[in-house]
Amino acid sequence: MGTLKLSITENINITYGGYEYNYTTSGGSDDLEIANVDAYQAQTLSIPTAFTQVAKFGSTLGMGSYKASDFKYMRFRNTDGSNFVTLQLSDSTNNKQVNYKILPGEAMYFTSLVFDCNSSTTTAAATVTQGTSNVAGLSATADEVQLKADTAACNVDILIAYDL
């Protein structure tokens, strides 16, 4: 059985004023360690300006399809220098979707397929009032990931890790 280890390094160097901030996780208590990672798929895809399915989660393992119960980790890194990417998680059973914006050079990772939003994709959301919550609980599980580039195609590094 393998283990996926995620370490984070942050460096800020402010030119004016001479301030500097450095932080690096080190050791098991600071790093994210995910056990039972037996396989992974890593690739760089050219993402067009229309939503494109890059992963599917269900009950069986296949080409581009992963067993949801064996999912461990996924990471998406936008390698473009000026174009953002929209990442969409979809739950076709509960008719829910959520979008995330990944700016140029940024990365986003997930350790769970569970998410929520305050309405289905076919009905309007309840009125949003600051300081209150319309989300009662986590009630959606992604069965699909789609990506879309904003103004021109761009490359996205994708890593999906799972158990066998």
Side-chain angles (χ1 to χ4, degrees):
M1 299 279 169
T3 300
L4 182 144
K5 183 176 181 179
L6 178 65
S7 301
I8 296 174
T9 299
E10 300 170 336
N11 294 308
I12 301 172
N13 188 352
I14 300 173
T15 305
Y16 300 104
Y19 297 105
E20 188 172 330
Y21 170 81
N22 293 299
Y23 173 78
T24 302
T25 60
S26 60
S29 63
D30 294 328
D31 295 335
L32 173 62
E33 292 193 14
I34 302 171
N36 301 322
V37 174
D38 294 326
Y40 68 91
Q41 167 120 21
Q43 60 185 342
T44 300
L45 294 178
S46 177
I47 303 300
T49 57
F51 274 112
T52 303
Q53 184 185 78
V54 296
K56 185 124 180 90
F57 299 93
S59 59
T60 59
L61 180 64
M63 192 66 109
S65 183
Y66 306 90
K67 284 181 70 175
S69 60
D70 293 339
F71 169 81
K72 297 294 182 181
Y73 174 88
M74 62 183 170
R75 188 250 311 133
F76 302 88
R77 187 173 70 86
N78 179 1
T79 63
D80 197 79
S82 60
N83 198 13
F84 75 82
V85 173
T86 300
L87 181 146
Q88 183 178 85
L89 300 179
S90 300
D91 179 340
S92 60
T93 303
N94 292 304
N95 200 31
K96 292 193 175 192
Q97 294 174 318
V98 64
N99 289 343
Y100 297 96
K101 184 176 184 177
I102 306 175
L103 295 173
E106 286 188 342
M108 181 171 286
Y109 70 89
F110 300 86
T111 58
S112 172
L113 296 174
V114 177
F115 70 93
D116 208 343
C117 58
N118 63 353
S119 74
S120 73
T121 58
T122 58
T123 59
T127 302
V128 176
T129 304
Q130 287 185 336
T132 64
S133 175
N134 289 335
V135 179
L138 298 174
S139 63
T141 302
D143 56 20
E144 175 184 54
V145 178
Q146 294 192 79
L147 294 173
K148 177 180 89 161
D150 180 41
T151 58
C154 60
N155 289 337
V156 175
D157 290 337
I158 302 170
L159 172 68
I160 300 175
Y162 51 97
D163 193 7
L164 287 177

